[in-house]
Amino acid sequence: MVAPTNLSIGFSPCPNDTFIFNALIHGEITTDPLRFEKEILADVENLNAWALESRLDVTKLSFHAFGHVLNDYVLLNGGSALGRGCGPLLVAAKAYNSSKIVGKRVAIPGKYTTAALLLRMFLPDCTNIIAMRFDEIMPSIVAGKVDAGVIIHESRFTYQDYGLVLIQDLGSWWEDSTGLPIPLGGIAAKRSLGNEIIGAIDQYVRESVRWAFANPGMGMEYIAKHAQEMNEKVIKDHISLYVNSFSEDLGDEGRAAVKEF
């Protein structure tokens, strides 16, 4: 029997995360005897930094960051953002051959993001890297503060509205190179909580995902409240792209992708 426990939990304000956690946070599923404190919504790079400090009991984090906290956190089977055709995009204000990006100023959405590591894998000699919040990257390219950037989240649906062009789909490059889906971010729990509590958390996250799939129209007010892009179609496209069968259960293929990454 799991003892009553109050847990801190953090995830991003992006539609895929708020869609996944809506039921768990708002009591649409029973989580007794666990109690989740008021959710902390933060940019994924902030969550990555907090994971390095072992601050939260349960947290969303980039799979790049997860590799740095294996001693403190265990990956849950539910809640991940992982799939095909959903990876970060390298974009610029004008068309470049990808080899010409080396030496130019390239923005990344945080040092420990999956996007940052993918860029390093794809262009190892690209060293003029500037970290900034993901929602600052496209305006910074347009303003000439950087020459190119790796964009994530809703940005993949709106970069053309900024007049930007695609240089390389880094997710497609990963898929072509490995044959595996691209692991973007996952949900991790502190190892110190113990196997019984971790197992219960995983069960509740997966139940929250299943509830969201079964009730796709519910929770939209909560989701839209925190979304960067308010366009309803963009929000729904975002959820459709980043929340899939891997979000309910990583499965063997998902775990293999995480291990390879």
Side-chain angles (χ1 to χ4, degrees), residues 6-233:
N6 290 321
L7 300 168
S8 57
I9 183 169
F11 49 89
S12 84
C14 293
N16 60 303
D17 282 350
T18 48
F19 177 81
I20 284 172
F21 285 102
N22 175 58
L24 184 146
I25 293 299
H26 294 108
E28 300 292 352
I29 61 169
T30 300
T31 62
D32 291 336
L34 301 183
R35 297 284 185 273
F36 292 90
E37 300 171 0
K38 176 65 177 176
E39 77 273 27
I40 298 172
L41 299 179
D43 176 70
V44 69
E45 185 66 352
N46 288 337
L47 295 170
N48 290 339
W50 295 344
L52 292 170
E53 299 170 359
S54 196
R55 184 181 299 190
L56 300 174
D57 295 316
V58 182
T59 186
K60 171 71 176 283
L61 77 174
S62 300
F63 278 115
H64 180 190
F66 178 62
H68 292 270
V69 297
L70 290 172
N71 290 334
D72 296 320
Y73 284 92
V74 60
L75 181 66
L76 303 185
N77 286 307
S80 286
L82 183 147
R84 299 182 185 277
C86 61
L89 306 179
L90 176 61
V91 301
K94 60 181 181 179
Y96 294 106
N97 182 288
S98 59
S99 63
K100 299 296 184 181
I101 295 293
V102 175
K104 295 191 180 297
R105 300 163 298 171
V106 181
I108 56 170
K111 179 180 177 181
Y112 291 101
T113 58
T114 295
L117 184 53
L118 276 172
L119 177 66
R120 201 164 76 204
M121 292 176 181
F122 178 64
L123 291 175
D125 295 330
C126 186
T127 58
N128 193 357
I129 304 299
I130 302 169
M132 61 180 66
R133 275 182 58 94
F134 82 94
D135 55 348
E136 296 175 348
I137 291 178
M138 294 193 297
S140 294
I141 298 173
V142 173
K145 296 178 181 178
V146 293
D147 301 301
V150 182
I151 58 173
I152 58 175
H153 302 325
E154 298 102 314
S155 301
R156 73 175 293 120
F157 301 108
T158 60
Y159 73 90
Q160 290 173 316
D161 296 340
Y162 286 77
L164 304 181
V165 296
L166 178 65
I167 305 301
Q168 176 66 48
D169 184 324
L170 296 176
S172 293
W173 171 79
W174 163 269
E175 293 168 40
D176 292 343
S177 300
T178 67
L180 294 167
I182 178 66
L184 301 171
I187 310 300
K190 279 187 179 179
R191 293 184 181 274
S192 59
L193 293 171
N195 290 338
E196 193 172 9
I197 291 178
I198 292 171
I201 295 168
D202 197 17
Q203 175 188 332
Y204 297 142
V205 171
R206 294 171 71 186
E207 287 181 8
S208 191
V209 174
R210 287 193 286 268
W211 187 94
F213 281 145
N215 302 275
M218 298 183 68
M220 284 304 296
E221 182 178 352
Y222 175 65
I223 294 166
K225 175 183 176 182
H226 297 290
Q228 178 209 4
E229 174 57 58
M230 297 302 294
N231 181 282
E232 184 175 351
K233 183 180 185 303

